[in-house]
Amino acid sequence: MSSQADRSYALRTKKMALSAILAALAMILSYVEAMVPMPVPIPGIKLGLANLVILLAIYRLGFKYALAINCIRIFVTGLLFTGVFGILYSLAGGLLSLLVMYLLYRTEIFSMVGASMAGGVAHNLGQLLTACLIMSNIRLMSYFAVLLFAGMGSGILMGIVAWLVCQRLPHLKI
Amino acid sequence: MIKKADIALFFLLLAAGLVVSFASLSADTGDKVLITVSGETYGTYDLSKDQTIHVSHDGHTNNITIKDGSVSMSYSDCANQVCVHTGAISQTKDSIVCLPNRVMVEIIDSKAGGDVDVISG
Ligand SMILES: [Zn+2]
């Protein structure tokens, strides 16, 4: 076997292993988060601790891996703790947030903190829109402001943490 | 670490949030209680008249209690009980939502015609 093939195989294995670790971490964070109630009568709207992991995955592993980690997290935690309703909300918030963070990352004019802030807002907005659709009621949008500020706050916080992790663990780079 | 675009985005979101807050802060005291199930009006009740309304729908039960000018979800057979924990509401634009049972309780001002922005069906 050529040494080049060996190296690409080793890289793939490394990425897979890191993905598995991040997915496990995201699930733990989702679980911790489920125990902290938010002052909004919409289940599933949370701090977005798991967004921290997704942000790291986007920056260090790429979009495909981040998407896989996010989907695994949502389905496993959904089946374990929240049920089908929870999965629906998490999917809407999680995928919108992932997409927004990835797009901002690609523009290269935003830092991790900016991308995370936008991701936090997108996460809450996605869930609020899902709630409106399920309830067939647009009046739920009156929670928009609260959720926007909550998303900004938690997003900035998670962005700073993610940035610190990247500084402390430069060898995480692949 | 922080870039110019971050700061621009921060103020943009902040402005958007403030505009929406001011728009929704103009809450007044309403006089009617509107109960909707799956987006359709279930009934409208007087906020001044104390009573308990039993909502039965698709095998689910929710009890809504009107007392001393405020409304609360006194019972629900839903799994998460978020609606029951919401407590009592007494102002327009406040609402109690039971997402699993798709029941929503709102206070409306009958004179202001609060039904306009409700999507039906
Ligand atoms: Zn409920």
Side-chain angles (χ1 to χ4, degrees):
Chain A
M1 229 196 263
S2 75
S3 68
Q4 202 186 346
D6 273 355
R7 213 176 301 136
S8 89
Y9 185 72
L11 183 68
R12 231 177 99 83
T13 310
K14 199 178 167 192
K15 277 193 165 187
M16 295 278 268
L18 188 55
S19 299
I21 293 169
L22 287 179
L25 188 61
M27 282 182 237
I28 294 168
L29 291 176
S30 295
Y31 176 65
V32 168
E33 197 171 63
M35 297 188 286
V36 184
M38 285 276 280
V40 189
I42 300 168
I45 286 181
K46 293 292 172 192
L47 280 169
L49 286 176
N51 256 23
L52 164 65
V53 174
I54 304 307
L55 191 65
L56 284 172
I58 290 174
Y59 276 74
R60 288 294 157 90
L61 292 169
F63 183 76
K64 264 194 299 181
Y65 286 90
L67 182 65
I69 292 169
N70 210 6
C71 288
I72 291 169
R73 168 188 75 87
I74 290 165
F75 281 101
V76 173
T77 49
L79 290 175
L80 286 177
F81 311 119
T82 54
V84 182
F85 259 103
I87 292 179
L88 218 61
Y89 286 108
S90 303
L91 264 183
L95 294 184
L96 192 63
S97 151
L98 172 67
L99 208 65
V100 166
M101 291 197 292
Y102 178 67
L103 289 176
L104 293 200
Y105 161 69
R106 285 295 297 272
T107 65
E108 292 182 356
I109 59 167
F110 294 95
S111 72
M112 267 184 133
V113 178
S116 176
M117 175 177 67
V121 173
H123 177 259
N124 287 355
L125 194 62
Q127 297 194 325
L128 184 61
L129 287 173
T130 314
C132 285
L133 280 177
I134 289 180
M135 297 297 289
S136 310
N137 198 322
I138 197 81
R139 276 176 163 239
L140 279 174
M141 287 309 279
S142 57
Y143 293 107
F144 179 83
V146 180
L147 292 172
L148 188 132
F149 290 131
M152 281 175 78
S154 63
I156 290 170
L157 199 70
M158 290 310 124
I160 292 171
V161 174
W163 182 78
L164 285 174
V165 169
C166 283
Q167 298 295 304
R168 297 287 162 87
L169 300 172
H171 61 274
L172 203 71
K173 198 161 209 150
I174 292 181
Chain B
M1 171 196 178
I2 304 282
K3 296 184 183 176
K4 251 187 244 163
D6 295 332
I7 295 165
L9 184 64
F10 176 82
F11 283 110
L12 195 76
L13 290 173
L14 198 69
L18 287 177
V19 168
V20 176
S21 307
F22 277 118
S24 55
L25 265 180
S26 56
D28 306 296
T29 47
D31 57 352
K32 295 273 185 200
V33 177
L34 173 69
I35 300 176
T36 40
V37 178
S38 306
E40 280 167 30
T41 303
Y42 184 89
T44 316
Y45 309 86
D46 252 320
L47 191 58
S48 52
K49 188 166 162 263
D50 289 2
Q51 60 175 314
T52 297
I53 302 123
H54 303 273
V55 177
S56 295
H57 156 74
D58 280 350
H60 292 297
T61 309
N62 290 70
N63 289 353
I64 293 121
T65 302
I66 304 176
K67 196 170 185 294
D68 302 328
S70 62
V71 196
S72 60
M73 185 81 76
S74 43
Y75 171 80
S76 170
D77 61 0
C78 66
N80 61 34
Q81 297 289 304
V82 169
C83 52
V84 176
H85 293 139
T86 304
I89 58 167
S90 58
Q91 289 189 312
T92 49
K93 291 184 178 162
D94 279 345
S95 53
I96 303 173
V97 183
C98 182
L99 222 36
N101 294 4
R102 302 188 70 191
V103 174
M104 185 159 174
V105 182
E106 299 159 79
I107 296 179
I108 55 167
D109 188 354
S110 58
K111 285 150 283 179
D115 277 357
V116 185
D117 52 356
V118 174
I119 301 171
S120 56

